Amino acid sequence: MKNFMHILFILVAFTLSSSTIAATSASESVTVIDPYVRAVPPGQTVSAAFMQLENTSGTMHSIVNATSPVSKAVELHTHINVQGVMKMRRVEKMDIPANGKTVLKPGGLHIMLIDLHEKLKLDQKVSVTLEFEDGSRQKIEAPVRKIMMKGMMKNIKH
Ligand SMILES: [Cu+2]
């Protein structure tokens, strides 16, 4: 009986540890640091969310979609330089390398908020839900901030 209990204990311990490893989702592995949303002038119907994404796991993870209650559509975007003009392009996903970091910032990767339902107020918390490649989700609260672009805005076209 003692031996049986011992084997049972090992089996249970093994099952628990292996299921713990399998249960580490992308959203648990990725930490969102310093998220914010760009303040936009009245009448502008688009904005963007920026943040740093830190992957603490040994596996690459990706954001494949995002949603937010503040806008009709949310798209994953990047900027590319076409003959000196910065243009936005939709991307399928944003990769966060194993044990690495991906930075979403003005002029680079961003989460585009399209057709805003409401006027964004400074310091207002905008909730954005990130969806990862394994279907796991992470909801973040990003405050609205003013961003200085050093004359870049006028060069940005869709
Ligand atoms: Cu964009």
Side-chain angles (χ1 to χ4, degrees), residues 8-154:
L8 191 68
F9 176 78
I10 290 169
L11 278 174
V12 168
F14 180 77
T15 309
L16 283 176
S17 65
S18 56
S19 65
T20 305
I21 292 162
T24 306
S25 65
S27 73
E28 288 167 316
S29 303
V30 174
T31 308
V32 177
I33 304 159
D34 193 26
Y36 59 98
V37 166
R38 179 204 301 279
V40 291
Q44 189 166 327
T45 56
V46 296
S47 185
F50 308 97
M51 66 202 70
Q52 297 172 49
L53 301 160
E54 197 171 39
N55 184 356
T56 54
S57 76
T59 311
M60 184 184 86
H61 290 297
S62 310
I63 291 175
V64 295
N65 195 27
T67 54
S68 174
V70 301
S71 68
K72 192 174 163 189
V74 181
E75 291 180 1
L76 308 179
H77 278 195
T78 193
H79 278 103
I80 53 161
N81 191 320
V82 182
Q83 292 168 342
V85 181
M86 295 299 283
K87 292 189 176 189
M88 290 197 268
R89 284 282 182 278
R90 194 173 182 176
V91 292
E92 291 277 300
K93 61 192 179 83
M94 292 177 182
D95 293 336
I96 311 126
N99 298 305
K101 212 177 201 182
T102 294
V103 179
L104 280 61
K105 60 177 193 290
L109 289 168
H110 56 282
I111 293 171
M112 197 82 194
L113 306 168
I114 301 162
D115 287 339
L116 294 165
H117 294 308
E118 53 187 286
K119 187 176 170 289
L120 301 177
K121 293 182 271 299
L122 271 185
D123 299 322
Q124 173 191 344
K125 294 274 202 312
V126 172
S127 82
V128 178
T129 302
L130 308 173
E131 190 183 325
F132 295 87
E133 84 285 354
D134 61 356
S136 62
R137 289 184 169 86
Q138 186 173 155
K139 190 177 167 184
I140 55 158
E141 302 287 333
V144 174
R145 280 195 214 150
K146 270 188 180 156
I147 301 165
M148 296 301 156
M149 288 289 282
K150 293 172 190 156
M152 252 182 78
M153 272 306 277
K154 63 180 190 294

